[in-house]
Amino acid sequence: MKLRILTAALALSSALAPAARAQTDAAPQADTAAPRPVSALRIDLNIPENRLRLYDGDSVVKTYRVSVGLPGHDTPDGRYTIDHAEWNPWWRPPQGREWARGKENTPPGPNNPMGRVKLFFAPYYYIHGSPEVRDLGTPASHGCVRMMNRDVVELARTIHERNGGSVGGAEITRLLARPSQTRWSQIGTPVPLVIRYDPVVVRDDTLRIYPDFYKRNAVHTESVVQALMAAGYEAQSIDRAGVRQVIEAAGRARGVYAVSLAEAFAGLRPAPVPRSATR
């Protein structure tokens, strides 16, 4: 009996051996999947500025005024991707949120808090239109990014036209003409979104300090120095005493404090261009 079992086992092993060798000797299969397209369009949002900028590469296509979250309902900063949208959305109050208690679902229409289109970037967070235009440019939402309806429609159209998607320009026009019809759309090439919290901004030869309304202690000497260096100025030419005076003046100001670099920092010099960059 034992002999018959041993003989059968040897026969089975012999039969399986060629297949096992074939699997072992086979060359690994190459990954033939096409690389995912990279979007030339990208979005940058600086929370303290309440400004959203659409870029094409390194060029600004359009700057939009927005409203971010109120203190306590902070808009989350970080890196995200926008890959789908919803046209003529419903608004459904988020469950478990105190501010939404007692509110009812709102169908698409002129009073819908989501406006004409919303772009998804994180669970329960969107860039969306809004009928509340008086508060644009200030923190006013419960965490989402609000825009004027015409602005968010323009932004969503540009993304779909440039990056492709499941709805084209004609279909978008039809949806806008029928505000009660809700439609999801997938974006062909997802768009990167960076949300920053930088209250110190250097642009157009001007230093601007925005209110630190999330109380992150983000306005200090080093943040101003870093902003000047990032704008291309030599670290050794930055007058720290002048920086402290600017911060004190910003603390006394109401709202945004702006000062020209020439006025605030007489000895400021551009950083030298590395020799390798000129070759």
Side-chain angles (χ1 to χ4, degrees), residues 5 36 48-49 76 78 89 92 111 142 150 158 202 250 273 278:
I5 294 172
R36 193 173 188 178
E49 276 189 279
R92 294 177 173 83
N111 297 318
H142 292 99
R150 69 184 184 193
T158 302
V202 177
V273 179
T278 61

Side-chain angles (χ1 to χ4, degrees), residues 53-70:
R53 291 177 175 84
L54 175 66
Y55 283 83
D56 184 352
D58 292 329
S59 300
V60 177
V61 176
K62 190 77 176 278
T63 299
Y64 296 101
R65 187 171 57 138
V66 302
S67 282
V68 296
L70 291 159

Side-chain angles (χ1 to χ4, degrees), residues 1-263:
M1 181 66 178
K2 292 181 178 181
L3 181 60
R4 285 200 300 273
I5 294 172
L6 179 60
T7 302
L10 290 173
L12 179 61
S13 175
S14 178
L16 293 176
R21 283 197 301 273
Q23 291 180 357
T24 303
D25 297 340
Q29 294 296 314
D31 185 1
T32 57
R36 193 173 188 178
V38 177
S39 174
L41 293 181
R42 59 186 177 89
I43 296 173
D44 181 275
L45 169 64
N46 188 13
I47 292 172
E49 276 189 279
N50 280 282
R51 293 293 185 273
L52 180 151
R53 291 177 175 84
L54 175 66
Y55 283 83
D56 184 352
D58 292 329
S59 300
V60 177
V61 176
K62 190 77 176 278
T63 299
Y64 296 101
R65 187 171 57 138
V66 302
S67 282
V68 296
L70 291 159
H73 299 281
D74 301 10
T75 296
D77 50 326
R79 294 181 177 273
Y80 305 96
T81 300
I82 297 174
D83 60 7
H84 63 288
E86 187 176 8
W87 300 86
N88 301 324
W90 279 71
W91 181 66
R92 294 177 173 83
Q95 296 182 357
R97 304 289 180 91
E98 181 66 28
W99 61 267
R101 182 173 297 174
K103 298 184 181 296
E104 298 180 351
N105 293 347
T106 305
N111 297 318
N112 188 290
M114 293 286 104
R116 298 306 307 273
V117 62
K118 62 182 183 181
L119 299 163
F120 295 70
F121 69 88
Y124 308 110
Y125 289 99
Y126 322 105
I127 299 171
H128 65 82
S130 173
E132 300 293 335
V133 297
R134 292 175 300 176
D135 295 328
L136 286 175
T138 64
S141 78
H142 292 99
C144 288
V145 179
R146 294 179 183 172
M147 299 179 68
M148 292 184 67
N149 273 313
R150 69 184 184 193
D151 287 347
V152 74
V153 166
E154 180 182 76
L155 176 64
R157 263 192 185 276
T158 302
I159 290 173
H160 281 75
E161 289 171 358
R162 285 287 306 275
N163 287 25
S166 58
V167 299
E171 177 67 8
I172 291 173
T173 299
R174 190 182 68 80
L175 288 166
L176 294 174
R178 299 180 179 179
S180 63
Q181 183 178 359
T182 301
R183 174 77 182 272
W184 281 60
S185 61
Q186 198 74 23
I187 296 168
T189 302
V191 177
L193 165 66
V194 174
I195 300 180
R196 300 178 290 111
Y197 191 86
D198 293 333
V200 181
V201 176
V202 177
R203 186 180 294 112
D204 300 328
D205 298 322
T206 301
L207 170 67
R208 292 179 175 84
I209 299 180
Y210 294 86
D212 182 12
F213 48 75
Y214 287 172
K215 305 300 181 185
R216 296 187 181 180
N217 296 319
V219 178
H220 46 74
T221 301
E222 190 58 29
S223 65
V224 174
V225 170
Q226 290 298 321
L228 290 167
M229 291 173 60
Y233 294 98
E234 188 178 42
Q236 290 77 8
S237 71
I238 300 172
D239 178 11
R240 264 57 175 184
V243 170
R244 289 191 289 271
Q245 290 176 3
V246 166
I247 293 174
E248 290 173 2
R252 295 190 297 268
R254 290 188 176 183
V256 182
Y257 176 78
V259 63
S260 72
L261 297 181
E263 178 184 343

